[in-house]
Amino acid sequence: MTDKELQNGGVPDSKKEENPFSTESTAVEGIYLPPTFPGAPSWPDKIRDLRQMMLRDDDIILLTYPKAGTHWLWEVISMLRKGSAEHDANTKVQLMMEFVQNHILDDMPSPRTFNTHLPLSMLPVDKIKARRLKLVHVYRNPKDTCVSMYHMARSSPQMSSVVPCETFGDFAEHYLFTDKQIFGSYVKYLKQMHAFQEQNPEVPTFNMSYEDVKKDPVGSVKKLASFLSLSVSDEVCVQIADECSFDKMKAKEAEKEKPKLHSKTLDKESLERMEKNKPVIFRKGQIGDWKNYFTVAMSERVDCFLEEQLKDLPFTLTFE
């Protein structure tokens, strides 16, 4: 790594090239959403369409705030539904509700496992409640999601243009203590998740801690299979946990053919820049990496903030 890259927070110079995305985030109903690519629907139009999308009785929706384990658990659920430790040929992006047009999602064969970073209020909630779809909510301690998001933002022209990421301190302040973080405040996301579950106990929802899955992957896979009412042998659960280890997931993701979701709206040059400037998705996947970034004073301030904000919520946060 060059001295210049170290000054850039470990981001290669190739990541600093022209930004193919817009340079402004959009606030919809108080939630800031990522800059879009040329030709994409506006966020208000996308959210309107998303609320109108058709759902099926066997749909499952994976709900995660960014960097809380979306790729990991989406792959686990996909394997459980197939009954084998075979990686899905698709990527989770192809079933990511906010980034794929409704007609493409409609054409996906059942069973569909959707995933999204959007708050529930932006989803087709009435249809979810009417069909009593199974929801899987994965959460992670905000200090580690902050570090992971920082590195993703530094490597992403889509995000680096709209969030302060020259230093970790600036990013952490923006990420943890403002409402202008991409996809909104994590605290508010967790509060809305809890409120929905309290108000809609008839909708089956399974809360999973990233740290619990990390510490007991096999047990977590078994619990998830039970929630989804899937008959999967202990042997297959062990195989799934192994195939979904961080290193194997990272290697497998690099082999998958990426969907050409934007091929009809971007010119060849823009597509090539997007491919070259892909953000860092898989980095470490560790618990407690935040200790390498937060000062003692910053950590104590975050602890006090989270204790006050989340004191009435059932989500147990694990920091090491």
Side-chain angles (χ1 to χ4, degrees):
M1 185 177 294
T2 67
D3 290 341
K4 187 174 181 181
E5 289 173 8
L6 286 171
Q7 293 172 1
N8 287 337
V11 180
D13 291 341
S14 62
K15 299 288 185 182
K16 300 296 182 179
E17 295 181 2
E18 185 179 353
N19 186 355
F21 297 91
S22 65
T23 56
E24 294 182 359
S25 57
T26 301
V28 180
E29 299 171 10
I31 303 294
Y32 281 83
L33 299 171
T36 57
F37 51 86
S42 69
W43 276 114
D45 288 345
K46 175 58 186 173
I47 300 304
R48 180 202 63 214
D49 292 345
L50 189 55
R51 286 170 170 157
Q52 297 172 357
M53 75 173 289
M54 301 302 295
L55 295 175
R56 306 170 193 163
D57 289 341
D58 59 354
D59 288 336
I60 293 172
I61 303 179
L62 174 61
L63 304 162
T64 61
Y65 192 76
K67 312 310 295 179
T70 316
H71 283 78
W72 189 9
L73 271 299
W74 182 83
E75 197 78 61
V76 169
I77 294 172
S78 296
M79 290 183 182
L80 284 172
R81 301 191 86 174
K82 287 183 291 190
S84 68
E86 177 185 352
H87 288 270
D88 200 298
N90 297 319
T91 67
K92 66 102 179 172
V93 175
Q94 287 169 277
L95 285 164
M96 197 163 194
M97 301 172 81
E98 57 264 43
F99 292 125
V100 184
Q101 294 181 6
N102 281 14
H103 70 90
I104 297 176
L105 296 175
D106 290 341
D107 289 342
M108 289 288 183
S110 293
R112 302 180 300 183
T113 303
F114 294 120
N115 67 98
T116 181
H117 296 322
L118 291 173
L120 269 164
S121 59
M122 291 183 170
L123 302 182
V125 177
D126 289 343
K127 297 182 180 70
I128 290 172
K129 293 193 290 188
R131 293 181 179 274
R132 298 189 179 184
L133 296 189
K134 290 187 175 181
L135 308 178
V136 178
H137 168 227
V138 183
Y139 63 95
R140 185 183 186 186
N141 86 71
K143 291 181 183 177
D144 277 333
T145 63
C146 179
V147 171
S148 186
M149 183 64 82
Y150 169 68
H151 284 280
M152 183 175 177
R154 290 301 302 253
S155 70
S156 166
Q158 185 181 18
M159 292 185 62
S160 60
S161 62
V162 296
V163 297
C165 53
E166 288 302 313
T167 70
F168 177 73
D170 288 343
F171 180 83
E173 183 74 23
H174 175 86
Y175 179 89
L176 292 162
F177 300 111
T178 78
D179 291 337
K180 294 185 178 181
Q181 172 56 33
I182 298 299
F183 287 106
S185 158
Y186 197 179
V187 165
K188 289 186 176 179
Y189 180 92
L190 290 174
K191 286 182 177 180
Q192 187 181 109
M193 279 299 311
H194 176 57
F196 176 85
Q197 293 175 50
E198 287 276 290
Q199 296 164 13
N200 301 280
E202 74 282 1
V203 178
T205 306
F206 189 51
N207 297 300
M208 302 188 74
S209 159
Y210 177 100
E211 290 79 14
D212 286 348
V213 180
K214 187 79 175 177
K215 292 177 179 180
D216 183 14
V218 176
S220 297
V221 171
K222 290 180 179 179
K223 290 177 182 177
L224 187 52
S226 176
F227 169 74
L228 298 176
S229 301
L230 297 172
S231 180
V232 182
S233 69
D234 288 352
E235 180 182 3
V236 170
C237 287
V238 171
Q239 293 170 354
I240 289 174
D242 179 64
E243 279 300 315
C244 290
S245 65
F246 183 83
D247 289 341
K248 288 189 177 182
M249 283 279 295
K250 185 174 182 177
K252 198 68 182 180
E253 186 70 13
E255 298 174 5
K256 290 187 178 185
E257 181 179 355
K258 301 301 183 290
K260 307 299 183 183
L261 299 179
H262 314 312
S263 59
K264 294 182 179 179
T265 56
L266 291 179
D267 57 35
K268 181 180 179 182
E269 183 179 353
S270 295
L271 285 168
E272 289 175 350
R273 286 204 307 272
M274 285 181 65
E275 181 65 19
K276 191 174 184 179
N277 289 284
K278 289 184 300 185
V280 173
I281 302 297
F282 291 91
R283 197 176 65 87
K284 289 185 177 181
Q286 296 177 350
I287 303 172
D289 190 37
W290 62 268
K291 295 178 183 178
N292 297 315
Y293 295 85
F294 283 79
T295 65
V296 172
M298 188 188 303
S299 177
E300 290 177 347
R301 182 184 172 208
V302 173
D303 288 344
C304 291
F305 173 73
L306 294 176
E307 182 177 2
E308 173 62 27
Q309 292 292 318
L310 305 178
K311 60 183 178 182
D312 297 323
L313 273 60
F315 310 123
T316 302
L317 301 180
T318 303
F319 293 92
E320 58 185 35

